[in-house]
Amino acid sequence: MSISRFNAVEKASNRKATEACTPKRNVSEYYGENVFNRKAMRKFLSKETYEALTAAIDRGVPIDREVANHVAAGMRMWALGKGVTHYTHWFQPLTDGTAEKHDAFVEHDGHGGMIEEFSGKLLVQQEPDASSFPNGGLRNTFEARGYSAWDPSSPAFIVDDTLCIPTVFIAYTGEALDYKTPLIRSIEALDKAATDVCHYFDPSTRRVTTYLGWEQEYFLVDEDLYSARPDLSLTERTLLGHESAKNQQLDDHYFGAIPSRVQEFMKDLEVECYKLGIPVKTRHNEVAPNQFELAPIYEECNLANDHNQLLMSVMKRVARHHNFRVLLHEKPFKGVNGSGKHCNWSLGTDTGVNLFSPGKDREDNLRFITFVVNTIMAVYRFNALLKATVASATNAHRLGANEAPPAIISTFLGTQISDILDKFETSAIEDAIEVDDKKGLHLGFGQIPELLLDNTDRNRTSPFAFTGNRFEFRAPGSSVNCGSAMLALNSAVAYQLRQFTNDVERLRSAGKSKEQAIFEVLKDYIKRSKPIRFDGNGYSDAWKEEALRRGLDCESSVPLQYDAYLQPEVVEMFESAGVLNRKELAARNEVKWEVYIKKVQIEARVLGDLSLNHIIPVAVRYQSVLLENITKLKEAFEGDEYREMAAEPRRLSRQISAHICAVTKQVDEMVEARKRANRIADLRERAIAYHDTVAPYLDTIRAHIDDLELMVDNQMWPLPKYRELLFIR
């Protein structure tokens, strides 16, 4: 793109930003104005209806149809006052995106006219069909009944002229067809299990809430350049392209001054987020050129997940107004950092306690150790499952590279917490614990009361790191639904906490005191879960060998990683928690294998098209220029002088020929490999075939084309290069 074109784009962007309806108000004045939040509820609902609805939100009390009718009427009045004409049940199918079908607020009035209507029945439940979404065999196309049901805990919101009602999405037979349904189930399971454990320390605890704070990384690219790259348009990543001479090696983009065009985009994005009640707080440049990050204040897990899903669609819409395209692919550019979605996960009680924060006395700190150790134990027992939750065809390009944690799950605790657990494990009961009816529980080593809220350094190579008052799961990719990882983590920890309660009660029934039972169980867990604890460099080859010796899951094939969902212990864990049954788990694996196949298949088709219809013709044309040059040199020069002058064009022509032949041959082989894989009926086996026999061609073909990019005349090269794509002007 020319400098003049960039200037024109920048001027247009600035003009649109100036014309945008950015309020000249404090954020607090318009925050949540497009959300049916408690402020709107108090205004548009009766006191009785408001109390019934908030009881459902806060305590899970069921809502009857009469209350739903009153809520629907108030919600409709609020929405109509904001110019809304349609409503939709907004749900999260197994695509990592969101879905919506809009219906107008109108019904026949019986007299040839129309009236605005929205009943409790329409609010609570709909039958959106949606039979073409991935379902893993849970639904047949000819049995198209799928239901969406209102989730009162996540407030309705307005986008443009449509009222969006967050809902679950289930099959006619009751199985979950989305991420929200099992996520809510996992939150409830963890609430119950964690509350039971909290009662050992504070019987007044009534509820434990799961919190999530996500960090969304993304790339921006100019829309014209995006449109000129079929691979970006169709796969969201560059399937070919040689590295730019300068990319991220100087670290000058990281935390640098935000480019003015990007700043205007971020301002408008933040305004839209605040109106929708998304509490975004942090923005900055990331390591790679054109890479940025946005992060909110943490929220309750279900709401936070909804907000992240909403954010991804809002940021794409806002970016178009600034002549940008947002790339959420985990690795859109080779040779520079990819994008993740770090999930900061914590637990808090209704009494105001963060269960991952040390307390002021030793009993509080025993509670702290109890929840930290049980979380570590859950991660140890289900490390293969947690890896499977973040495994995908796209995230495979990112995991294990120097900007992302390795595809081996381990946990980093920091020196102080690790030392405390080691001392706890080796201490004798009479040395480390002293029971006094008047003074309560005392731990025998004094470091614990001196713990700070954030006393650990951060290990960037750890997929699951303790960061002071929370755990940070760094492995999820930037494009995924957080719910996939969170529902597994919640379920695993809930299962482990129930096991902890059972183990403690077993010892108490054998005559041990509560404190002695807790102490002995924790010592056992600390010892058993040691293999998952690793504070070193996760990128090293030595760690891969060590992890294998420790018995951690080291499988590198994405299709095989999905097998973890159907391990007997995993199935038992999900079923006992009431989160997913065997049939639902098997269906989700079918979906994951199918999505993997389609992702690789699409990339192979696009690369084949680019190779044969874009790159090879240009390479041949440039080779013809070289051969013509050789012919003209022969006409003008003779003998040694001619041979010397023609040597380089000949060498270059031979190299181009070799690359052309290699690309053509490998594209043909890739097509045949795809055909063979497509004949495999079993989805799992077909996915494995795509991983083993098709995907490798994407790298080998690219290597030849990237070499050609350095040889062919720059003016003839048909696609924008990395030096153009990676630097916003």
Side-chain angles (χ1 to χ4, degrees):
M1 184 184 290
S2 66
I3 296 297
S4 61
R5 173 58 180 153
F6 272 117
N7 290 337
V9 169
E10 184 168 6
K11 288 179 181 178
S13 175
N14 291 337
R15 183 176 66 255
K16 288 180 180 180
T18 302
E19 295 170 352
C21 55
T22 304
K24 303 296 183 182
R25 297 178 285 167
N26 293 328
V27 172
S28 59
E29 297 179 58
Y30 65 92
Y31 182 79
E33 67 178 27
N34 288 341
V35 181
F36 194 63
N37 53 24
R38 300 196 184 213
K39 179 180 178 181
M41 291 177 195
R42 283 192 294 268
K43 183 176 180 180
F44 288 92
L45 302 179
S46 68
K47 181 181 178 181
E48 294 75 15
T49 302
Y50 174 81
E51 290 177 351
L53 181 54
T54 54
I57 295 170
D58 295 337
R59 302 194 301 276
V61 177
I63 294 177
D64 61 33
R65 185 54 57 90
E66 182 178 356
V67 170
N69 281 328
H70 290 312
V71 173
M75 196 180 289
R76 178 178 62 84
M77 290 177 59
W78 169 76
L80 291 175
K82 290 181 171 291
V84 169
T85 58
H86 290 69
Y87 67 92
T88 181
H89 275 200
W90 182 83
F91 57 95
Q92 301 169 28
L94 300 177
T95 60
D96 283 330
T98 59
E100 52 197 68
K101 181 187 74 172
H102 298 191
D103 289 302
F105 278 129
V106 293
E107 293 290 344
H108 285 297
D109 64 0
H111 304 286
M114 302 289 281
I115 59 172
E116 284 77 18
E117 183 61 47
F118 183 55
S119 67
K121 178 181 178 182
L122 297 176
L123 167 65
V124 171
Q125 179 179 311
Q126 279 193 317
E127 184 185 334
D129 180 2
S131 57
S132 293
F133 282 121
N135 62 75
L138 289 177
R139 303 174 65 194
N140 294 313
T141 302
F142 62 86
E143 295 172 336
R145 300 183 75 180
Y147 292 95
S148 53
W150 176 36
D151 172 19
S153 67
S154 186
F157 55 90
I158 294 171
V159 174
D160 294 330
D161 64 350
T162 303
L163 173 67
C164 301
I165 303 161
T167 62
V168 299
F169 183 48
I170 59 175
Y172 174 71
T173 50
E175 287 93 355
L177 298 171
D178 64 349
Y179 286 108
K180 180 185 272 287
T181 301
L183 177 61
I184 293 174
R185 293 171 180 168
S186 74
I187 291 169
E188 292 176 350
L190 184 51
D191 172 21
K192 185 178 186 309
T195 300
D196 288 345
V197 173
C198 283
H199 287 164
Y200 287 132
F201 309 98
D202 181 4
S204 68
T205 302
R206 296 170 55 194
R207 186 174 186 181
V208 172
T209 300
T210 307
Y211 293 102
L212 170 64
W214 39 262
E215 303 168 26
Q216 180 69 61
E217 295 176 341
Y218 62 95
F219 280 83
L220 289 176
V221 65
D222 279 289
E223 187 161 25
D224 287 349
L225 298 178
Y226 173 91
S227 299
R229 293 280 311 217
D231 48 356
L232 275 181
S233 301
L234 296 175
T235 72
E236 277 219 330
R237 83 173 177 110
T238 51
L239 298 175
L240 50 88
H242 200 280
E243 290 185 34
S244 172
K246 178 185 181 297
N247 47 51
Q248 68 183 45
Q249 63 264 53
L250 296 178
D251 298 322
D252 52 344
H253 187 260
Y254 189 47
F255 278 29
I258 299 172
S260 58
R261 287 179 59 206
V262 177
Q263 185 95 337
E264 293 305 315
F265 157 74
M266 288 179 171
K267 288 179 183 178
D268 285 354
L269 175 61
E270 287 174 348
V271 169
E272 293 302 311
C273 286
Y274 290 143
K275 289 180 180 179
L276 291 167
I278 306 174
V280 293
K281 183 175 178 67
T282 302
R283 65 188 187 197
H284 64 82
N285 290 4
E286 259 299 336
V287 176
N290 285 16
Q291 187 186 32
F292 308 93
E293 181 179 298
L294 178 149
I297 301 169
Y298 70 90
E299 299 177 285
E300 183 276 325
C301 186
N302 178 42
L303 180 59
N305 191 59
D306 282 0
H307 279 165
N308 183 250
Q309 289 298 109
L310 180 57
L311 168 84
M312 290 192 288
S313 62
V314 170
M315 68 195 312
K316 290 178 181 179
R317 175 165 50 86
V318 174
R320 299 293 294 273
H321 294 310
H322 293 266
N323 297 301
F324 285 130
R325 286 299 185 109
V326 170
L327 302 180
L328 295 175
H329 193 287
E330 283 72 16
K331 194 76 169 180
F333 301 103
K334 184 180 179 181
V336 299
N337 281 13
S339 296
K341 178 148 46 191
H342 301 178
C343 292
N344 295 277
W345 176 85
S346 63
L347 301 174
T349 71
D350 60 318
T351 58
V353 174
N354 182 333
L355 296 175
F356 294 130
S357 287
K360 295 181 180 179
D361 58 49
R362 298 184 180 188
E363 183 164 338
D364 285 348
N365 287 320
L366 182 61
R367 177 186 57 208
F368 161 73
I369 290 177
T370 295
F371 278 92
V372 168
V373 169
N374 274 281
T375 299
I376 297 168
M377 189 66 180
V379 174
Y380 169 61
R381 294 176 67 178
F382 299 103
N383 70 95
L385 170 66
L386 291 178
K387 183 167 72 171
T389 68
V390 301
S392 68
T394 54
N395 207 22
H397 297 290
R398 164 184 168 263
L399 290 179
N402 286 339
E403 79 278 3
I408 301 171
I409 300 297
S410 64
T411 184
F412 166 83
L413 300 177
T415 303
Q416 190 175 13
I417 302 298
S418 294
D419 287 347
I420 288 170
L421 296 189
D422 290 342
K423 289 178 181 178
F424 198 108
E425 178 196 353
T426 57
S427 298
I429 294 178
E430 59 271 17
D431 295 333
I433 190 166
E434 175 185 335
V435 181
D436 187 314
D437 292 339
K438 294 181 180 180
K439 296 181 180 179
L441 179 67
H442 293 265
L443 297 178
F445 37 94
Q447 293 94 325
I448 297 180
E450 299 171 1
L451 281 177
L452 302 177
L453 289 179
D454 192 353
N455 56 37
T456 61
D457 192 8
R458 294 183 68 183
N459 186 324
R460 288 179 54 83
T461 72
S462 175
F464 197 82
F466 180 71
T467 54
N469 59 2
R470 64 194 183 277
F471 282 92
E472 182 180 12
F473 193 17
R474 302 182 63 250
S478 57
S479 66
V480 302
N481 187 315
C482 299
S484 176
M486 291 299 98
L487 72 90
L489 178 60
N490 292 342
S491 301
V493 174
Y495 183 79
Q496 178 57 44
L497 288 172
R498 289 198 308 275
Q499 183 65 56
F500 172 78
T501 302
N502 292 338
D503 289 344
V504 169
E505 292 307 310
R506 175 176 49 80
L507 291 179
R508 292 182 70 183
S509 65
K512 301 282 187 179
S513 69
K514 178 183 72 175
E515 290 78 10
Q516 289 172 321
I518 291 173
F519 185 89
E520 290 188 18
V521 172
L522 290 178
K523 284 187 66 172
D524 178 54
Y525 287 179
I526 291 170
K527 182 177 182 180
R528 288 166 56 192
S529 64
K530 266 191 173 181
I532 202 70
R533 289 163 49 189
F534 179 67
D535 292 355
N537 179 11
Y539 297 146
S540 69
D541 291 334
W543 165 236
K544 297 175 184 177
E545 297 173 2
E546 173 65 20
L548 191 61
R549 286 195 297 270
R550 293 185 183 193
L552 302 182
D553 188 277
C554 298
E555 179 57 61
S556 59
S557 168
V558 171
L560 292 177
Q561 288 171 1
Y562 295 148
D563 288 344
Y565 276 98
L566 298 177
Q567 291 176 350
E569 186 180 26
V570 170
V571 174
E572 198 275 331
M573 179 270 289
F574 276 123
E575 288 189 331
S576 67
V579 174
L580 291 166
N581 60 38
R582 179 181 291 275
K583 185 177 180 181
E584 289 171 313
L585 288 168
R588 283 164 192 263
N589 264 22
E590 293 286 307
V591 171
K592 289 178 180 293
W593 285 317
E594 185 176 15
V595 169
Y596 180 87
I597 291 166
K598 289 179 178 178
K599 290 275 189 181
V600 177
Q601 185 182 75
I602 291 170
E603 289 189 353
R605 288 174 172 172
V606 172
L607 183 59
D609 172 65
L610 286 173
S611 300
L612 300 182
N613 296 318
H614 293 69
I615 304 303
I616 297 300
V618 169
V620 170
R621 194 179 312 139
Y622 181 63
Q623 187 183 45
S624 298
V625 172
L626 293 174
L627 294 174
E628 184 179 355
N629 176 253
I630 294 171
T631 301
K632 290 183 178 179
L633 287 173
K634 190 172 185 178
E635 293 174 357
F637 302 96
E638 296 180 352
D640 292 341
E641 188 175 16
Y642 161 71
R643 283 189 290 273
E644 181 180 353
M645 298 182 70
E648 182 59 22
R650 280 177 169 168
R651 184 192 66 81
L652 193 55
S653 180
R654 289 192 188 97
Q655 287 186 337
I656 291 174
S657 287
H659 286 305
I660 290 173
C661 291
V663 169
T664 304
K665 178 176 180 290
Q666 289 184 20
V667 168
D668 288 343
E669 291 175 353
M670 180 175 66
V671 171
E672 289 304 313
R674 210 166 63 232
K675 289 179 179 178
R676 288 192 298 271
N678 289 338
R679 288 194 289 268
I680 300 174
D682 181 77
L683 272 179
R684 178 180 179 276
E685 295 303 318
R686 194 189 313 163
I688 293 171
Y690 262 89
H691 176 274
D692 294 346
T693 67
V694 178
Y697 282 107
L698 297 174
D699 291 330
T700 57
I701 293 171
R702 176 181 187 145
H704 289 289
I705 294 176
D706 289 356
D707 284 345
L708 283 172
E709 183 181 316
L710 297 180
M711 300 175 186
V712 174
D713 184 351
N714 183 67
Q715 296 298 316
M716 297 175 68
W717 194 252
L719 302 173
K721 297 183 177 181
Y722 270 27
R723 65 170 181 262
E724 300 165 296
L725 291 167
L726 279 173
F727 297 94
I728 292 174
R729 294 169 175 81

